[in-house]
Amino acid sequence: MANGAGRVDLDGKPIKPMTICMIGAGGFIGSHLCEKLLTETPHKVLALDVYNDKIKHLLEPDTAEWKDRIQFHRINIKHDSRLEGLVKMADLTINLAAICTPADYNTRPLDTIYSNFIDALPVVKYCSENNKRLIHFSTCEVYGKTIGSFLPRDHPLREDPSFYVLKEDVSPCIFGSIEKQRWSYACAKQLIERLVYAEGAENGLEFTIVRPFNWIGPRMDFIPGIDGPSEGVPRVLACFSNNLLRREPLKLVDGGESQRTFIYIKDAIEAVLLMIENPERANGHIFNVGNPNNEVTVRQLAEMMTEVYAKVSGEGAIESPTVDVSSKEFYGEGYDDSDKRIPDMTIINRQLGWNPKTSLWDLLESTLTYQHRTYAEAVKKATSKPVAS
């Protein structure tokens, strides 16, 4: 399959091998996308990132079957004159680079705005000027809060899907006030989306925008003090995994009432590959990529993860598995949240015939098995106190 013989797109046309410039290839999503491209397609990858730990296994000299199809370039896109040359060498650029951990949005708002807007500008410009296709990764956060969240708590319209299901072409983007710096990320991401869209409208840029809804799986984020900073606060799955590995209660911010949908990374990557290989169906579109069937409150997620981790680790749950904390205590001043995030799947289903497959239980089992296998020993070593002789 890897040589791509006889591979056709959704319209039955042969898929030509292409060169893909992937910015942020060393991250969680990038590592899974690189794996998919190298093992299942004939495409070449120019992998750009500051770090390559998560794709080291793809760069080893003994992975001879694809060593000619991936090149790693250690680049910080902020200020590197090589960027335009690499975009020119490729048929398609995929931009995954971002600061995307909520703990940073209100403690490092300037870095967040610069990383997600200013640093993405040259990428859009080089693609537009050189007539290169762009797949830009945005976020479901651009939707902000649902219309329903502004209704009284017991209002019957809160149950009406038209007040909370998020549609790419209809739903408004509703953010909190300026002093709620949590929205620095969503606002920067929305503005770069508008810029990409405008380049398409005015200058003919061929683009696709991806709005991920909580993609989950192995290699996501980091475990604080093991492969990331001790004081770092990753996203909810890695936060909860860290607590489970250390046998600490899972911290529920503001009672864990926010609702989220989670999708398995391997399902999501299938959708991205369809976008890459079906430009005629994907160009000019914004796609929600999520799993509306996997909806839970953060509290329910904590309960499920506790149960799944007990199963995969063989260790019983601790006596008090969760503890409530305020958002101010956990994230600092200026935090705010979106209430519910349920993607409408109409457009991606119509254009690419794609639907997610993996249930929440199965994706948690797969991810927590990986977390336990990868980190349990390291965490035990880190937490065992040296005994004085």
Side-chain angles (χ1 to χ4, degrees), residues 111-128:
D111 282 348
T112 300
I113 292 164
Y114 271 74
S115 138
N116 291 298
F117 181 67
I118 307 288
D119 298 348
L121 286 174
V123 180
V124 181
K125 179 172 172 268
Y126 296 150
C127 287
S128 188

Side-chain angles (χ1 to χ4, degrees), residues 184-200:
S184 58
Y185 172 70
C187 196
K189 282 291 207 181
Q190 187 202 143
L191 192 52
I192 198 76
E193 274 201 31
R194 291 193 182 278
L195 186 105
V196 168
Y197 197 91
E199 279 287 357

Side-chain angles (χ1 to χ4, degrees), residues 36-195:
K36 183 90 171 166
L37 289 166
L38 293 172
T39 56
E40 293 184 24
T41 80
H43 310 312
K44 285 186 179 162
V45 180
L46 306 174
L48 281 57
D49 212 317
V50 183
Y51 305 106
N52 63 6
D53 311 17
K54 294 183 184 190
I55 53 170
K56 266 210 165 75
H57 61 296
L58 302 173
L59 303 170
E60 300 293 339
D62 53 351
T63 49
E65 56 182 305
W66 58 63
K67 70 174 191 303
D68 301 331
R69 291 199 293 117
I70 183 164
Q71 281 176 17
F72 179 70
H73 297 264
R74 197 176 295 279
I75 277 183
N76 183 335
I77 60 165
K78 266 188 184 67
H79 35 64
D80 200 302
S81 55
R82 292 172 294 171
L83 179 62
E84 186 172 12
L86 289 161
V87 168
K88 278 182 172 174
M89 279 168 66
D91 303 294
L92 160 70
T93 293
I94 300 176
N95 191 3
L96 291 153
I99 285 181
C100 53
T101 38
D104 291 325
Y105 304 162
N106 50 312
T107 54
R108 297 169 56 205
L110 286 174
D111 282 348
T112 300
I113 292 164
Y114 271 74
S115 138
N116 291 298
F117 181 67
I118 307 288
D119 298 348
L121 286 174
V123 180
V124 181
K125 179 172 172 268
Y126 296 150
C127 287
S128 188
E129 288 174 354
N130 295 291
N131 294 318
K132 300 292 183 178
R133 188 172 165 227
L134 171 66
I135 296 181
H136 184 81
F137 271 70
S138 183
T139 169
C140 59
E141 291 236 353
V142 297
Y143 291 110
K145 301 173 183 235
T146 65
I147 305 172
S149 70
F150 293 91
L151 294 167
R153 199 170 263 272
D154 53 358
H155 199 290
L157 283 175
R158 272 184 174 246
E159 302 305 310
D160 179 342
S162 62
F163 281 76
Y164 63 79
V165 173
L166 302 168
K167 301 187 175 196
E168 300 96 326
D169 54 346
V170 178
S171 300
C173 305
I174 308 172
F175 303 150
S177 64
I178 297 297
E179 65 194 35
K180 299 289 190 193
Q181 295 204 91
R182 189 245 206 268
W183 301 107
S184 58
Y185 172 70
C187 196
K189 282 291 207 181
Q190 187 202 143
L191 192 52
I192 198 76
E193 274 201 31
R194 291 193 182 278
L195 186 105

Side-chain angles (χ1 to χ4, degrees), residues 265-285:
I265 182 68
K266 292 193 185 325
D267 289 353
I269 292 298
E270 290 278 347
V272 179
L273 186 59
L274 286 167
M275 294 173 208
I276 291 169
E277 296 190 327
N278 293 276
E280 287 172 18
R281 288 170 174 255
N283 281 345
H285 285 285

Side-chain angles (χ1 to χ4, degrees), residues 6-16 277-281:
R7 295 178 75 252
V8 294
D9 67 14
L10 293 172
D11 297 307
K13 294 184 197 141
I15 295 167
K16 294 192 186 86
E277 296 190 327
N278 293 276
E280 287 172 18
R281 288 170 174 255

Side-chain angles (χ1 to χ4, degrees), residues 346-363:
T346 311
I347 294 180
I348 194 164
N349 196 272
R350 183 188 71 216
Q351 293 300 115
L352 303 173
W354 176 83
N355 274 306
K357 304 185 207 51
T358 312
S359 72
L360 186 55
W361 181 274
D362 289 349
L363 76 84

